[in-house]
Amino acid sequence: MTGGGRALSPAAEEYFDRLLTEAGRADSPSRRHHYVPRTYLRQWAYDERRIWALNTSTGIAKPLGISDVCVKENFHRVVGPDGPHNRVELMFGVVDSELRRVQSVLLRLSDPDDLSFDDYMALGVTMAVQRMRTLQQRRLHQQQAAWLEAQNPNDFQRLQDTPNNPHLVAGFHTETLFRAMWEAADVLTGRQLEIWDDSQGRIVTSDVPVVVPFRAGARPNLLAAPQIFWPISPDRVVVLSNEDRGEKAVFRRVTAAMAAALRGHVIQGREQMIFAGESQLRYLPVGKTLPRRAQARLRCSQWSPQGEYVPPPGCVVEWTDGYGATPDVQLCDQGWHRNAPGMLDYI
Ligand SMILES: [Zn+2]
């Protein structure tokens, strides 16, 4: 819809201008970067400040301050020509204020006609950015780099901070995100918007708030995914579906079965933490550890990403995310590929 950011509506243009203005400003003193905005999580808070957080690697659920979850020192700190700076965090400040606006518009929405074209655009950008701006995405990038390093150590290196380059991972992730953002937003805005309401308040979220559910153990790409979920409160989830009904927004009521399925997707999609209101804990796997989560999944293919046939002995390595305890690598035996045990450093 934006042609990868080249043809923007006036509001989207203004949004991008604001990003650039922020980027040109002086450095920010802030070092604690929230990769899931606090305002987003506040919908699940029980006293404005705290939410229940289930750590899926320990099985322990406890209340945590919203300021203390999904936060990482220097998450977006990148090294520019003048040395390390936090201007990208200022740009993310604009992204966050747009997220806050879009979330509140969608929380209030009851008549599809109240949704403007620009709201819809902003929703696409918001979901695109939030989908990529996670520790999970960063870890998957690291698995990919470890695989590439094993194939060709002359051209590729681990994606790992070093004493000389302490912001390498943040820089790579941030740059990748901004490069992919508009295209992802275009794909998302091409989908049917659905608003699902749950009068029982059974909707939970995680440290990966935009959920592309696994199908048969693999995460489909944004075009192929039947549904992409963004929970915005315990009672409401935004769904981008690939079932075009030709309507601005379709409202649906969440049944117990839909709530359970959605919860399953959120749990499988998380990196480590599930966030919930107190009354929702009974739906969650408290006391269990969950060893499986998103991991790199590699397969050989005779087709290029553009759909062109690649005749043998050539092969194209297809990357997706799988759901498992370790990366899932099954490649052809033509002798092109080497084992990459280094991937296991990032599971
Ligand atoms: Zn192969």
Side-chain angles (χ1 to χ4, degrees):
M1 199 171 274
T2 66
R6 284 183 295 275
L8 300 177
S9 74
E13 236 168 52
E14 191 253 351
Y15 176 51
F16 202 54
D17 283 350
R18 263 192 292 151
L19 287 182
L20 294 175
T21 309
E22 291 292 348
R25 270 199 210 158
D27 199 1
S28 147
S30 151
R31 292 290 177 268
R32 274 166 59 84
H33 299 164
H34 284 263
Y35 53 89
V36 178
R38 283 162 283 190
T39 40
Y40 169 77
L41 293 169
R42 196 158 286 131
Q43 289 299 319
W44 283 267
Y46 60 90
D47 64 356
E48 291 280 304
R49 289 185 307 113
R50 283 176 298 175
I51 44 174
W52 279 88
L54 168 63
N55 182 334
T56 57
S57 51
T58 62
I60 297 170
K62 60 180 175 188
L64 291 177
I66 284 173
S67 299
D68 299 322
V69 297
C70 296
V71 62
K72 194 169 168 4
E73 195 92 348
N74 293 322
F75 189 74
H76 297 303
R77 192 164 177 82
V78 301
V79 180
D82 317 323
H85 64 81
N86 271 18
R87 284 170 210 142
V88 174
E89 177 65 9
L90 294 174
M91 290 171 74
F92 277 113
V94 181
V95 170
D96 287 349
S97 65
E98 198 64 359
L99 182 145
R100 192 158 49 233
R101 190 184 72 76
V102 167
Q103 186 181 13
S104 90
V105 165
L106 287 163
L107 283 169
R108 284 195 312 267
L109 190 73
S110 57
D111 178 354
D113 286 333
D114 293 343
L115 196 71
S116 72
F117 175 75
D118 289 325
D119 293 336
Y120 191 59
M121 276 289 308
L123 171 68
V125 175
T126 295
M127 285 180 66
V129 171
Q130 186 60 80
R131 186 182 72 88
M132 295 185 280
R133 184 192 182 185
T134 63
L135 278 183
Q136 179 171 97
Q137 193 86 11
R138 192 166 282 196
R139 183 174 56 81
L140 293 169
H141 283 317
Q142 289 179 309
Q143 288 186 356
Q144 181 165 14
W147 189 79
L148 289 169
E149 184 201 39
Q151 311 314 306
N152 185 349
N154 292 327
D155 290 346
F156 297 101
Q157 295 168 10
R158 287 293 177 97
L159 189 54
Q160 187 79 59
D161 292 340
T162 64
N164 285 336
N165 196 346
H167 307 300
L168 182 81
V169 182
F172 177 87
H173 181 209
T174 305
E175 197 190 316
T176 310
L177 192 158
F178 274 106
R179 255 189 292 134
M181 166 175 112
W182 293 113
E183 204 174 295
D186 280 354
V187 173
L188 292 175
T189 47
R191 301 173 67 99
Q192 174 69 57
L193 172 63
E194 299 182 7
I195 307 283
W196 293 12
D197 283 322
D198 184 3
S199 55
Q200 313 276 317
R202 292 167 291 199
I203 296 162
V204 296
T205 192
S206 83
D207 52 2
V208 180
V210 172
V211 188
V212 182
F214 293 101
R215 282 171 78 80
R219 216 174 237 165
N221 66 39
L222 289 186
L223 271 176
Q227 291 164 326
I228 299 166
F229 298 97
W230 184 40
I232 53 172
S233 80
D235 321 296
R236 185 166 267 199
V237 54
V238 173
V239 185
L240 297 181
S241 116
N242 64 1
E243 197 178 305
D244 186 6
R245 313 247 198 115
E247 286 173 55
K248 243 177 159 178
V250 174
F251 284 82
R252 294 179 66 184
R253 205 173 284 279
V254 172
T255 63
M258 286 157 79
L262 176 58
R263 212 154 48 231
H265 298 321
V266 169
I267 292 169
Q268 286 197 346
R270 99 287 167 199
E271 176 69 352
Q272 186 178 19
M273 308 298 283
I274 309 284
F275 303 115
E278 193 162 24
S279 64
Q280 299 178 311
L281 284 178
R282 61 198 153 114
Y283 303 124
L284 297 178
V286 177
K288 291 186 195 141
T289 58
L290 303 182
R292 291 191 293 167
R293 59 179 171 176
Q295 310 283 355
R297 181 179 186 275
L298 277 67
R299 294 288 185 274
C300 283
S301 162
Q302 294 306 128
W303 301 91
S304 76
Q306 289 73 37
E308 287 153 7
Y309 179 67
V310 179
C315 82
V316 178
V317 177
E318 222 172 44
W319 281 94
T320 45
D321 306 342
Y323 181 64
T326 54
D328 175 6
V329 181
Q330 294 177 32
L331 298 173
C332 64
D333 51 10
Q334 297 190 79
W336 309 129
H337 317 294
R338 296 182 209 188
N339 281 331
M343 291 175 89
L344 297 175
D345 294 344
Y346 309 99
I347 59 171

